[in-house]
Amino acid sequence: MSWKPSEEIIKRSNIQKMMLQHHFSDYHNFWQWSVTHKKEFWSETIDNLGIKLSKPFTSVFDSTDVENPQWLKGSKFNIVDSCFQNDDEATAVIYQDENGQLQKISQQNLERLVNRIANSLYNAGLVKGDVIAIDMPMTLKAVAIYLAAIKAGIPVATVADSFTPNEIAVRLKITQPKLIFTQDYLLRAGKTLPLYSKVVEANTPKAVVIKATMQSINLRKNDIFWDDFLSDNTTFKSVIQNPDDVITILFSSGTTGEPKAIPWTHTTPIKGVSDGYYHHNIQKNDVVCWPTNLGWMMGPWLIFAALINNASIALYYEAPIDRNFGEFVQNAKVTMLGLVPSIVKHWINTKCNENLDWNAIKCFSSTGEASNSKEMEYLMQLANNKPIIEYCGGTEIGGGYVTSTMVQENIPSTFSTQALGGEFVLLDDENNVADKGEIFLIPPIMGLSEKLLNRNHHEVYFKDAPTYKGQKLRRHGDQLVKLENGYYKAMGRVDDAMNLGGIKVSSVQIEAVVNRLDFIKESAAIAVSPEDGGPSTLVIYYVENGINESDEKNGTYLNVVNKLIKTELNPLFRAKELKKIDKLPRTASRKVMRRKLRDLYLGND
């Protein structure tokens, strides 16, 4: 099953408009131009997106150093100013509150709320360059707080609301915020889950607490409620900054225990916004819905990609797992719906979103984990055969490196193109160009990180990386296969990181927790993908710690392991199997050979 664009869809697409300007009739030639003429492509893209610059750039980037290309050199701006260029009365955010009522806020009123919060931050004693943290669900207030801080020149450290107190503490120790915004409770699937108490347990700085329930809570000394924090002043002048000033600190698990702290600058969102403009074809007054959280890159991506493209953000406050969400998509007239594949699998099992009117949807998007073609075909039919923009990238990319378009044939669970303005090469284990292998990015690409707060950026991405045609390459860790038709399919990770339910985590993080258990001497966590594609599952191999127990105990052991993972890392993580092994396979340098364990599990060894 596939989807092919009509002549009318192609004609109205943002890609086609750009192609016609340059007299391209073939998409691949257009993509090739976008990477061979990067300065021209990105300069025109900035114009297409209407990025507001207080001072123009003297060059798009400096091509002498691909690790630090200095994007939009010489310019001054604040990226938030580009978020408010639609009509004053245009809907900026559509949301469904706790009572199930559909609410809308205009661009003008959103900007006023943003300004009130920006003034409140300064009234609280913060100054330009201080850091705040946000640990709360994706609500209207979360969006406004995020934009307000950036507008005020205050970087935002984002923390996913599902994290345990330990994981919250790790992130705040790295970023040292002066203030944290949170909520009293989370409302999930009819349950009321504590959030403020997790923040308190993590020993965070002063908190501003938003009430989502009528339950009473006792605040710590110096913590305040939202209503006592918010200023009435609705005017605020944006703090104009350099392109490389930090606006956000996001986290992504690498191959060591501590997550990488990745700063986003004022130029980073331009990458995601361009992906939204070209590849997702977001147009004025579209409605973009992507159930996510500011703790993951798709949270900031959603805000910028929607607002800068003059579209509306659609926010559903609870979990997107039942018919209530489907009715929200229907009633909000969502035009682009993004998700992680695991959600679709749940919808198939429950049939919760069948027989709804999703005809307003122009396209879906899928990211966070590998998808399954049969499940994606099911998703397409929920909106009467609409395409799915497969989208793969990373927090350190600011968007995607491989994706799909609305001007090409759309085949479920495959990527039709490398992202416009970016290029990569696939290399095998011997660093030869191959149709299946590890992807290496060819910098410079707008959006790529240039520093890490808690790692050596060069060592993580560039040290000992191969070259290609004399060009320096940047490692990423994903593995792809190029199909006979020129499309691509995701094959998971080649390093020790994994995606579980759309959340990236390192094997080392899981093993560090599991190894604390008395019956485990050492362990190795691996992600295993189904043969027909789809989300990975977690399997843990372990060597027993001198206790001669039978394999029948493994069921009990598995429960113990999952309880610890849930408590220490994330309640969304769960091991499918716990398998005992006499010894872990290792290289001569004692590194665990997780690929060999995957082969063993799949019966390929």
Side-chain angles (χ1 to χ4, degrees):
M1 178 181 178
S2 67
W3 173 91
K4 293 183 179 180
S6 66
E7 290 185 9
E8 182 62 23
I9 289 174
I10 293 174
K11 181 180 178 181
R12 296 185 67 252
S13 70
N14 293 325
I15 283 179
Q16 181 71 0
K17 293 172 187 174
M18 185 76 154
M19 285 175 60
L20 289 175
Q21 289 176 20
H22 291 274
H23 309 290
F24 286 110
S25 58
D26 178 77
Y27 170 79
H28 181 76
N29 291 337
F30 173 54
W31 168 79
Q32 192 66 54
W33 171 83
S34 79
V35 295
T36 55
H37 296 75
K38 284 184 181 179
K39 289 186 177 181
E40 191 176 350
F41 170 78
W42 284 111
S43 179
E44 292 188 29
T45 294
I46 286 167
D47 288 340
N48 290 341
L49 301 176
I51 302 300
K52 292 186 69 173
L53 302 175
S54 298
K55 181 182 177 182
F57 51 83
T58 55
S59 64
V60 178
F61 65 86
D62 185 345
S63 58
T64 58
D65 182 2
V66 297
E67 290 194 42
N68 184 28
Q70 300 180 53
W71 289 93
L72 309 189
K73 190 174 182 179
S75 69
K76 300 273 187 181
F77 66 105
N78 189 306
I79 193 63
V80 171
D81 290 338
S82 300
C83 294
F84 296 98
Q85 300 186 93
N86 204 352
D87 305 324
D88 281 349
E89 297 309 312
T91 299
V93 181
I94 304 173
Y95 62 100
Q96 185 165 310
D97 64 17
E98 293 81 0
N99 298 317
Q101 299 297 312
L102 206 63
Q103 308 285 338
K104 296 182 180 181
I105 184 170
S106 68
Q107 175 183 276
Q108 184 178 60
N109 286 336
L110 175 62
E111 188 168 20
R112 285 172 176 166
L113 177 58
V114 166
N115 290 342
R116 291 177 69 188
I117 299 167
N119 283 306
S120 304
L121 290 169
Y122 277 18
N123 292 345
L126 277 77
V127 297
K128 174 185 173 183
D130 284 342
V131 176
I132 68 160
I134 300 177
D135 183 0
M136 57 184 293
M138 193 77 165
T139 63
L140 169 64
K141 289 186 177 71
V143 170
I145 294 165
Y146 179 71
L147 292 171
I150 296 170
K151 187 170 185 175
I154 295 172
V156 183
T158 62
V159 181
D161 58 20
S162 62
F163 277 136
T164 63
N166 177 57
E167 290 297 291
I168 297 170
V170 167
R171 284 153 177 77
L172 299 192
K173 182 179 179 182
I174 295 168
T175 54
Q176 296 294 305
K178 298 289 182 65
L179 193 67
I180 184 169
F181 290 83
T182 190
Q183 202 166 274
D184 57 349
Y185 293 93
L186 293 173
L187 305 177
R188 290 288 184 271
K191 297 179 181 179
T192 302
L193 306 174
L195 182 56
Y196 173 67
S197 62
K198 289 201 300 182
V199 166
V200 171
E201 189 177 340
N203 195 28
T204 65
K206 180 178 179 178
V208 177
V209 183
I210 296 165
K211 292 278 288 178
T213 72
M214 298 300 292
Q215 298 186 39
S216 61
I217 58 170
N218 296 318
L219 298 186
R220 295 177 303 181
K221 184 180 179 182
N222 296 326
D223 289 351
I224 58 173
F225 286 113
W226 173 256
D227 290 342
D228 297 322
F229 164 80
L230 194 59
S231 165
D232 290 328
N233 188 348
T234 60
T235 60
F236 186 89
K237 187 176 180 180
S238 299
V239 174
I240 303 305
Q241 296 188 285
N242 295 318
D244 58 358
D245 282 334
V246 175
I247 63 168
T248 309
I249 304 163
L250 288 145
F251 295 88
S252 179
S253 293
T255 56
T256 61
E258 189 177 72
K260 292 178 294 185
I262 303 170
W264 277 21
T265 70
H266 286 277
T267 63
T268 312
I270 297 174
K271 163 59 178 167
V273 176
S274 72
D275 288 347
Y277 178 81
Y278 291 119
H279 294 288
H280 297 84
N281 200 39
I282 300 174
Q283 299 187 348
K284 184 173 181 176
N285 297 328
D286 275 350
V287 179
V288 185
C289 180
W290 204 310
T292 184
N293 185 274
L294 284 172
W296 313 118
M297 66 155 284
M298 293 312 298
W301 187 100
L302 171 63
I303 294 172
F304 291 118
L307 295 182
I308 295 180
N309 282 311
N310 294 322
S312 305
I313 304 169
L315 300 176
Y316 181 73
Y317 283 13
E318 294 202 35
I321 57 174
D322 58 22
R323 193 172 182 83
N324 289 331
F325 174 74
E327 290 175 348
F328 169 74
V329 171
Q330 169 185 274
N331 298 335
K333 292 182 169 51
V334 169
T335 60
M336 201 218 49
L337 175 59
L339 36 72
V340 295
S342 296
I343 294 176
V344 180
K345 191 170 186 178
H346 176 80
W347 291 351
I348 291 174
N349 293 334
T350 61
K351 304 187 186 306
C352 62
N353 287 323
E354 294 182 358
N355 302 314
L356 288 169
D357 181 3
W358 282 10
N359 286 319
I361 290 178
K362 300 176 183 177
C363 71
F364 296 96
S365 190
S366 171
T367 194
E369 57 189 5
S371 64
N372 174 286
S373 59
K374 291 181 180 178
E375 292 168 0
M376 292 298 103
E377 287 174 7
Y378 175 87
L379 178 63
M380 293 170 73
Q381 290 312 306
L382 290 179
N384 292 321
N385 194 32
K386 298 296 172 61
I388 300 170
I389 305 300
E390 290 283 348
Y391 189 53
C392 186
T395 307
E396 60 271 57
I397 295 177
Y401 66 84
V402 63
T403 180
S404 309
T405 74
M406 293 288 286
V407 300
Q408 297 170 286
E409 180 179 5
N410 191 273
I411 302 173
S413 297
T414 65
F415 308 89
S416 62
T417 178
Q418 299 188 37
L420 287 162
E423 188 177 10
F424 64 80
V425 62
L426 298 181
L427 301 180
D428 62 20
D429 291 342
E430 284 74 44
N431 292 331
N432 296 315
V433 176
D435 287 335
K436 179 181 179 181
E438 181 177 355
I439 79 111
F440 285 86
L441 301 169
I442 303 177
I445 302 172
M446 175 80 84
L448 292 185
S449 62
E450 296 175 17
K451 61 182 177 181
L452 299 171
L453 297 188
N454 58 340
R455 298 274 204 291
N456 183 301
H457 191 272
H458 172 80
E459 290 186 0
V460 171
Y461 296 109
F462 290 97
K463 185 180 179 181
D464 299 327
T467 58
Y468 173 70
K469 295 183 178 180
Q471 294 176 279
K472 185 183 291 187
L473 296 178
R474 172 178 167 138
R475 68 173 56 86
H476 183 64
D478 286 349
Q479 183 178 210
L480 296 181
V481 58
K482 188 173 184 179
L483 306 174
E484 290 184 3
N485 64 356
Y487 284 31
Y488 298 90
K489 193 167 183 64
M491 302 297 291
R493 301 284 298 181
V494 298
D495 58 17
D496 297 336
M498 60 183 78
N499 284 314
L500 300 176
I503 300 172
K504 193 176 173 187
V505 62
S506 74
S507 299
V508 176
Q509 284 176 278
I510 295 172
E511 292 156 7
V513 170
V514 172
N515 288 347
R516 291 189 226 155
L517 294 168
D518 291 341
F519 65 89
I520 290 181
K521 182 178 180 181
E522 59 179 349
S523 64
I526 60 171
V528 180
S529 301
E531 290 185 9
D532 58 350
S536 299
T537 55
L538 173 62
V539 175
I540 299 174
Y541 278 87
Y542 75 101
V543 177
E544 211 161 37
N545 192 21
I547 305 172
N548 188 21
E549 297 281 357
S550 69
D551 288 340
E552 293 175 356
K553 290 283 187 181
N554 282 352
T556 303
Y557 286 170
L558 180 61
N559 291 335
V560 172
V561 165
N562 278 329
K563 184 176 181 180
L564 187 62
I565 290 173
K566 178 180 179 179
T567 303
E568 295 295 320
L569 290 177
N570 195 307
L572 302 178
F573 295 164
R574 182 180 180 277
K576 178 184 178 183
E577 289 188 63
L578 182 67
K579 298 184 75 68
K580 189 169 71 171
I581 193 171
D582 291 338
K583 63 179 180 178
L584 298 177
R586 294 181 181 274
T587 63
S589 60
R590 302 293 298 162
K591 183 178 180 181
V592 175
M593 299 167 68
R594 294 184 180 84
R595 186 179 298 184
K596 191 174 183 66
L597 288 173
R598 276 191 288 268
D599 289 340
L600 177 65
Y601 182 82
L602 295 171
N604 298 327
D605 187 11

